């Protein structure tokens, strides 16, 4: 398990090393007044302590993404370890840090407004639509995963569990942020971490399982090439533009800019650790067994249930089930909440009154619930691809911000370029895309990315 331990150590070290680099480059100012001090409204702008904000942010961005997506990504073998580690540090954590920081500097604005400030109104309108749709997709995917596991454990049909979860979504999304999110979600965040420690420890301490190394052979079970499919399959746990829709929720609540690294960078690093652990568990548990690809990649909730049942005692199983059921539900809630807030900001609709929030939320809930009847894999792939578009926009906005300040903008430009490569490469090759041969698709991808990068740098470098 040397590969696993090295990646784990690098992820932890990145918080103390690279996280501080980002703080310095961004220009964190502890004396700068944060939005909550100016706009506290009893609904969305509510002060939170650093630890509470960190746990809420972690739970908002985690859910089943770094579990279900990672189980599917385990089909690519130990290469998943490298993508999770490097993607988290140099792309995901950079993206999350700047999405939170830019929101802090802009009155807690949602990403479309921030993007309009740096990339123009055309990009703003497009990203607003993508952000709202992504939130709707995430609500559908995460509720489906929880409902599937609950249905598998009980005799209650899937559609009943799904309806019950959406009933909770309506309540939690419309209430002020301190009623459920601020009070219950930090507890759920701790539970989520305990769950990860339990399942990983069970594999490490069991001599019957071996966590593979980078050099381990025979674990590549996918029919697809690593680029770009691995990079889209494991989104949460490496890079997810969806996180940018969650950052403003917490940015409206933190008390000082000094909380930026612990809350935004730190939560992403912890999600990367979560993904790394689940990748190790899945690879060890299904070592060399084709059912990982044939069965469980299509039904990751069932895979989690089997792993928990065989690896843990009854109490551990209960904790795992609670984590897999409750945590994605809480992320689905905040995904739909972010869609409501984004729409409200774009349409300039005041959200102080309950009825105003309800009018915006109901159409969002109806669309999200309708998507639960679509195949999980198909919906998840669209979610993973759509969030990359948001990630590109956020990273390019951060690049323009750093250019204006005369700062080291390469730290956001390079991750943006890689995300452009993945975004274009995937849609050219994917079954739900143009289905071009990989050699042709990769050539087009490189040329298109180079052109986009050159045009962008020429346009904004001399601001």
């Amino acid at each position: 398990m040397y590969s696993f331990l090295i990646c784990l150590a690098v992820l932890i070290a990145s918080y103390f090393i690279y996280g501080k680099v980002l703080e310095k480059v961004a220009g964190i100012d502890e004396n700068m007044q944060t939005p909550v001090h100016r706009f506290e409204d009893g609904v969305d702008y509510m002060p939170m302590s650093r630890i509470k904000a960190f746990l809420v942010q972690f739970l908002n961005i985690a859910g089943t993404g770094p579990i279900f997506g990672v189980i599917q990504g385990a089909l690519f073998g130990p290469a998943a370890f490298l993508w999770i580690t490097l993607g988290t540090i140099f792309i995901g954590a950079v993206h999350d840090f700047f999405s939170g920081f830019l929101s802090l500097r802009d009155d807690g604005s949602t990403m479309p407004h921030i993007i309009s400030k740096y990339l123009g109104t055309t990009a703003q309108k497009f990203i607003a639509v993508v952000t709202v749709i992504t939130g709707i997709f995430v609500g559908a995917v995460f509720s489906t995963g929880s409902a599937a596991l609950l249905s598998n454990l009980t005799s209650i049909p899937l559609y009943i569990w799904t309806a019950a979860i959406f009933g909770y979504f309506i309540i939690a999304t419309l209430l002020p942020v301190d009623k459920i999110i601020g009070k219950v979600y930090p507890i759920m965040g701790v539970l989520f971490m305990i769950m990860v420690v339990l399942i990983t420890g069970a594999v490490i301490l069991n001599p019957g399982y071996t966590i593979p190394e980078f050099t381990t052979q025979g674990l590549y079970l996918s029919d697809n090439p690593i680029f770009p499919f691995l990079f889209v399959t494991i989104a949460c746990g490496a890079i997810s533009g969806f996180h940018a829709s969650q950052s403003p929720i917490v940015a409206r609540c933190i008390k000082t800019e000094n909380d930026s690294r612990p809350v935004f960078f730190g939560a992403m690093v912890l999600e990367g650790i979560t993904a790394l652990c689940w990748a190790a568990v899945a690879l060890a548990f299904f070592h060399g067994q084709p059912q990982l690809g044939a069965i469980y990649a299509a039904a990751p909730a069932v895979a989690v249930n089997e792993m928990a049942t065989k690896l843990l005692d009854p109490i551990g199983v209960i904790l795992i089930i609670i984590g897999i059921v409750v945590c994605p539900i809480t992320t689905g809630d905040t995904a739909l909440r972010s869609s409501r807030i984004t729409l409200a900001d774009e349409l300039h609709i005041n959200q102080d009154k309950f009825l105003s929030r309800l009018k915006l939320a109901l159409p969002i809930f109806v669309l999200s619930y309708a998507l639960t009847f679509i195949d999980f894999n198909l919906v998840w792939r669209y979610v993973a691809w759509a969030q990359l578009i948001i990630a590109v926009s956020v990273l390019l906005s951060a690049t323009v911000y750093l250019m204006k300040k005369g700062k080291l903008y390469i730290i956001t430009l390079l991750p943006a370029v890689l995300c452009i490569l993945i975004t274009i490469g995937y849609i050219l090759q994917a079954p739900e895309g143009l289905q071009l041969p990989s050699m042709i698709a990769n050539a087009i991808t490189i040329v298109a990315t180079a052109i986009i990068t050159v045009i962008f740098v020429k346009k904004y470098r001399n601001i």
Side-chain angles (χ1 to χ4, degrees), residues 192-214:
F192 196 92
M193 289 187 281
I194 292 173
M195 176 192 68
V196 174
V197 171
L198 281 175
I199 195 76
T200 309
V203 167
I204 291 175
L205 298 175
N206 191 323
Y209 297 100
T210 301
I211 297 177
E213 307 293 348
F214 297 136

Side-chain angles (χ1 to χ4, degrees), residues 275-342:
L276 183 70
C277 289
W278 276 101
V281 171
L283 285 168
F285 191 83
F286 295 107
H287 183 88
Q289 297 182 27
Q291 67 261 37
L292 175 60
I295 301 174
Y296 297 118
V302 179
V304 170
N305 184 41
E306 180 172 339
M307 284 187 278
T309 302
K310 290 187 177 179
L311 291 172
L312 300 169
D313 58 28
I315 295 178
V317 172
I318 292 171
L319 288 174
I320 292 292
I321 291 171
I322 291 174
I324 296 298
V325 170
V326 174
C327 294
I329 290 175
T330 57
T331 302
D333 151 35
T334 52
L336 295 172
R337 188 184 191 93
S338 71
S339 293
R340 171 182 67 79
I341 291 173
T342 300

